[in-house]
Amino acid sequence: MARRFRIGDHVRWNSEAGHVTGTIIAVHTSDFLFKGYKHHASEDDPQYEIRSDRTDHIAAHKGAALDEV
């Protein structure tokens, strides 16, 4: 089971350009629309919106893709 994160946690994930760090700004526990696509989330498998430290880009990822910084 992936670690549970909270708003304000600082995390790292892999992207095409390498490792990216950012801060969690939202936690989704039900399906949601993000950038025109439906993302699946549940209480047992939430998804997180993260703001990149470097670019302010917002990304959505499951907890399994994130590491604590």
Side-chain angles (χ1 to χ4, degrees), residues 1-7 24 26-32 39-50 60-66:
M1 182 166 162
R3 183 187 181 296
R4 300 288 298 229
F5 297 98
R6 295 182 294 182
I7 292 174
I24 293 178
V27 178
H28 297 277
T29 55
S30 61
D31 294 351
F32 64 104
H39 290 257
H40 299 285
S42 67
E43 288 286 339
D44 293 331
D45 194 17
Q47 284 214 26
Y48 303 92
E49 284 185 51
I50 310 119
H61 292 290
K62 290 196 173 199
L66 303 174

Side-chain angles (χ1 to χ4, degrees), residues 9-44:
D9 286 351
H10 199 233
V11 295
R12 179 173 88 162
W13 69 97
N14 246 346
S15 77
E16 299 84 21
H19 286 249
V20 179
T21 60
T23 303
I24 293 178
I25 60 170
V27 178
H28 297 277
T29 55
S30 61
D31 294 351
F32 64 104
L33 288 177
F34 182 76
K35 297 186 177 181
Y37 294 95
K38 184 176 185 179
H39 290 257
H40 299 285
S42 67
E43 288 286 339
D44 293 331

